Amino acid sequence: MDDREILTWHTYGTAVRELAQSVADSGFAPDIVLGIARGGLIPAGSVAYALDCKNLFTMNVEFYTGVGTTRDEPTLLPPFLDLAELNDLSVLVVDDVADSGKTLELVARVCSEHAGEVRSAVIYEKPRTILAPDYAWRRTDKWINFPWSSEPVITSRTGVLDA
């Protein structure tokens, strides 16, 4: 397990509060918090609560297919967000990790075509990311065990663990 960063539920609580505090301290008050599914959904909800933002949206992106394995490029999956809902609003895009940064870059680019301002926040940033998030709680080059995805699935639909 030395090759992994372990995030417990307890530490997660501290992480998202500190991440939200960084956003607040910067003066950015998003109109919308947008979580990237699946890994960004739990952090997005937590950050939205901490920032007292009731507008919580999601975009579903598939990129990882297993531990360290990905598609060539991230792909947006339905249902699709009505991007007109973002017109001229400030959006905070939240994900669990900026690893390659490709997922974050895709969502930020799509949102920026409509939103007035787009910023991004992640719990973890990796050194190889192509898009540095505006806010990151911690930096690591290790694979991360998140508390919501560390246990085996109850019903396997894909046969892939830890993706």
Side-chain angles (χ1 to χ4, degrees), residues 108-124:
R109 180 172 34 85
V110 168
C111 290
S112 68
E113 293 170 4
H114 297 272
E117 182 175 7
V118 177
R119 295 191 191 180
S120 58
V122 298
I123 298 174
Y124 287 100

Side-chain angles (χ1 to χ4, degrees), residues 19 23 28 34 36 91-95 98 104-105 107-108 117-123 131-136:
L19 184 62
V23 174
F28 185 62
L34 188 149
I36 300 176
V91 178
L92 180 65
V93 176
V94 178
D95 206 355
L104 198 58
E105 190 277 330
V107 173
E117 182 175 7
V118 177
R119 295 191 191 180
S120 58
V122 298
I123 298 174
L131 180 69
D134 297 288
Y135 311 97

Side-chain angles (χ1 to χ4, degrees), residues 3 5 17 22-23 26 52 54 75 78 88-90 92 101 104 107 122 125 140-141 145 158-159:
D3 60 336
E5 177 92 19
R17 291 295 296 187
S22 296
V23 174
S26 76
D52 196 24
K54 293 189 177 193
T75 305
D88 300 322
L89 298 176
S90 59
L92 180 65
L104 198 58
V107 173
V122 298
E125 177 184 356
T140 186
D141 59 354
N145 280 15
T158 63

Side-chain angles (χ1 to χ4, degrees), residues 138-159:
R138 192 169 279 169
R139 287 159 184 78
T140 186
D141 59 354
K142 296 178 179 181
W143 185 262
I144 304 150
N145 280 15
F146 290 99
W148 52 84
S149 60
S150 294
E151 296 293 322
V153 296
I154 293 170
T155 303
S156 178
R157 296 174 184 221
T158 63

Side-chain angles (χ1 to χ4, degrees), residues 4-41:
R4 292 187 178 228
E5 177 92 19
I6 309 295
L7 183 66
T8 64
W9 281 114
H10 177 76
T11 306
Y12 165 76
T14 300
V16 292
R17 291 295 296 187
E18 289 178 3
L19 184 62
Q21 189 66 58
S22 296
V23 174
D25 288 349
S26 76
F28 185 62
D31 299 306
I32 295 168
V33 173
L34 188 149
I36 300 176
R38 291 182 310 183
L41 292 181

